[in-house]
Amino acid sequence: MALKRVLSGVQPTGSLHLGNWLGAIRNWVELQKTHETYFCVVDLHAITVSQDPQLLAKNTLSTAALYIACGINPDISSIFVQSHISAHSELCWLLNCITPLNWMERMIQFKEKAIKQGDNVSIGLFNYPVLMAADILLYDTDLVPVGEDQKQHLELARNIAQQRVNSKYGTNEKPLLKVPEPLIMKQGAKIMSLVDGQNKMSKSDPSDFSRIGLLDSPELITKKIKKAKSDSYSGLEFNNPERPESDNLLGLYSIISGQSRDSVAKECNDISWGKFKLMLADATVNSLEPIQAKYQEIIKDDACLRQWINIGKEKAEEQAQTTLRRLKKALGMLPPQ
Ligand code: TYM
């Protein structure tokens, strides 16, 4: 029986953080053992906001290296760069032409990002979810492992496939596009900022102290956790609406130390914030240490890394072209002879 297919991606904007790892990549590592997996570095999404071109190319490579350092095995998963496969942009255009404008106007992440951009909002930023739908639908994807913030975008991809493509151009027996399912972890799907427990940890937060980068040094990690926002209560606990920071940091500690929520809740129930922060810092440094060591090995060998990306591209492109041809034919594009 054919394996179910998984696709996901991260934008190469700045350095990846704990949220990207715990909310998404950690899950990919498990899925590659039982699924056919495609992981792209979504550089076309990155340029929906202004980027330094040299830095973008560098970050694209280092994001691919981090996938591998986090445990993605390039011998079994296809790791590729989104802009290397032009079918992503091409399918995006086809989907643009059949996606209702009012569906797009509901996208929460666009509204949040647009506010930050002021007068500088690009059409690409508005279109971002359609490109994401194209990424997913091109590969007849069954499952998309992402953090909580991507739920609405996944719903859009499902609606485009079902309501705008399959029901109009396909038949019940022969749907044109696979309708994907989101896969959102119970724990880690929404890691919050270190400086504000009500806001998610994000690459675009102007404060570097709001997040822990996967490549931050042990000293910096410890410093950031020591400075993280706390509250005036003593002891740590879950589920107290007045204590979002306690909930977030205790949750982080549970995932990173590999202990259950009940067990960390008991362990940290009456310890001081100071002591807890040192425990969390140690656990974080220890869990990132092997990833950082592997990353340093991979990033040194540019030729090998690029070869993996090329191999990933070959496999992904074949699948992408098959879907694209199918859709173009259904929409009435004249095939070349
Ligand atoms: P990006 O780069 O913003 O985020 C990459 C992944 O990390 C998850 N994530 C988080 N999870 C938990 N807590 C957080 N604080 C946190 N911040 C980010 C995101 O949910 C995501 O899974 N639009 C996507 C990239 C993309 C994509 C795709 C994903 C483009 N095409 C196709 C899946 C399939 C994004 O948010 O990237």
Side-chain angles (χ1 to χ4, degrees), residues 7-13 16-25 28 40 42 45 82 109 113 128 131-133 135-136 144-151 153-154 188-193 199-203:
L7 176 130
S8 200
V10 175
Q11 298 185 67
T13 45
L16 271 54
H17 54 67
L18 277 185
N20 301 132
W21 180 41
L22 301 176
I25 303 175
W28 307 354
C40 56
V42 291
H45 277 101
Q82 184 188 31
Q109 208 169 65
K113 287 189 179 175
Y128 178 115
L131 178 60
M132 181 164 160
D135 299 339
I136 297 166
V144 188
V146 282
E148 180 87 33
D149 60 336
Q150 297 304 306
K151 218 172 171 176
H153 292 164
L154 254 297
K190 195 167 186 191
I191 305 289
M192 309 309 270
S193 153
N199 260 322
K200 73 164 188 162
M201 188 177 283
S202 151
K203 290 190 221 105

Side-chain angles (χ1 to χ4, degrees), residues 14-300:
S15 77
L16 271 54
H17 54 67
L18 277 185
N20 301 132
W21 180 41
L22 301 176
I25 303 175
R26 185 175 59 119
N27 206 5
W28 307 354
V29 175
E30 288 309 306
L31 287 164
Q32 70 182 341
K33 297 174 188 158
T34 45
H35 292 71
E36 182 182 340
T37 39
Y38 294 85
F39 300 119
C40 56
V41 181
V42 291
D43 55 347
L44 295 171
H45 277 101
I47 59 165
T48 55
V49 299
S50 170
Q51 300 292 335
D52 171 336
Q54 276 174 9
L55 209 57
L56 179 62
K58 192 169 163 257
N59 284 341
T60 299
L61 213 52
S62 88
T63 302
L66 264 173
Y67 286 2
I68 300 170
C70 287
I72 302 301
N73 180 347
D75 291 329
I76 53 176
S77 294
S78 303
I79 299 173
F80 64 96
V81 176
Q82 184 188 31
S83 66
H84 289 182
I85 301 183
S86 57
H88 288 251
S89 309
E90 217 177 325
L91 182 61
C92 178
W93 178 254
L94 300 181
L95 300 182
N96 275 339
C97 297
I98 55 177
T99 302
L101 188 65
N102 65 352
W103 287 11
M104 300 298 292
E105 285 167 347
R106 292 182 207 137
M107 295 293 119
I108 295 162
Q109 208 169 65
F110 170 74
K111 290 179 196 160
E112 288 170 357
K113 287 189 179 175
I115 290 170
K116 291 187 195 150
Q117 295 294 309
D119 284 342
N120 231 343
V121 181
S122 69
I123 294 171
L125 188 66
F126 184 66
N127 250 3
Y128 178 115
V130 181
L131 178 60
M132 181 164 160
D135 299 339
I136 297 166
L137 300 176
L138 264 184
Y139 296 91
D140 287 337
T141 303
D142 293 285
L143 286 176
V144 188
V146 282
E148 180 87 33
D149 60 336
Q150 297 304 306
K151 218 172 171 176
Q152 195 187 31
H153 292 164
L154 254 297
E155 200 49 43
L156 180 85
R158 286 170 55 81
N159 290 341
I160 292 175
Q162 225 158 12
Q163 297 173 32
R164 308 303 290 194
V165 178
N166 291 349
S167 67
K168 285 196 168 186
Y169 305 98
T171 59
N172 275 346
E173 303 75 51
K174 234 182 151 197
L176 271 166
L177 294 173
K178 171 81 70 68
V179 181
E181 296 288 340
L183 190 66
I184 296 172
M185 310 267 270
K186 280 214 181 79
Q187 277 193 47
K190 195 167 186 191
I191 305 289
M192 309 309 270
S193 153
L194 296 185
V195 296
D196 175 1
Q198 318 250 33
N199 260 322
K200 73 164 188 162
M201 188 177 283
S202 151
K203 290 190 221 105
S204 59
D205 191 312
S207 165
D208 191 43
F209 274 75
S210 67
R211 61 188 160 258
I212 305 242
L214 298 187
L215 298 175
D216 283 352
S217 68
E219 297 73 35
L220 186 56
I221 292 171
T222 307
K223 196 166 162 192
K224 283 180 175 177
I225 292 179
K226 276 188 180 165
K227 284 198 159 216
K229 187 170 174 204
S230 53
D231 55 35
S232 54
Y233 293 75
S234 67
L236 278 286
E237 62 180 329
F238 285 121
N239 300 327
N240 181 341
E242 286 175 13
R243 306 190 64 195
E245 285 77 24
S246 164
D247 193 80
N248 182 43
L249 295 184
L250 196 55
L252 258 183
Y253 182 59
S254 155
I255 304 173
I256 286 176
S257 67
Q259 297 178 65
S260 70
R261 285 167 70 88
D262 280 351
S263 143
V264 294
K266 264 192 212 127
E267 185 189 0
C268 305
N269 166 42
D270 56 7
I271 61 173
S272 70
W273 269 100
K275 187 168 175 210
F276 169 74
K277 283 180 170 179
L278 285 179
M279 284 159 55
L280 177 61
D282 277 353
T284 309
V285 167
N286 289 338
S287 69
L288 290 181
E289 200 253 357
I291 292 178
Q292 297 184 348
K294 185 142 190 224
Y295 173 84
Q296 293 308 336
E297 257 174 53
I298 297 161
I299 204 72
K300 260 194 272 170

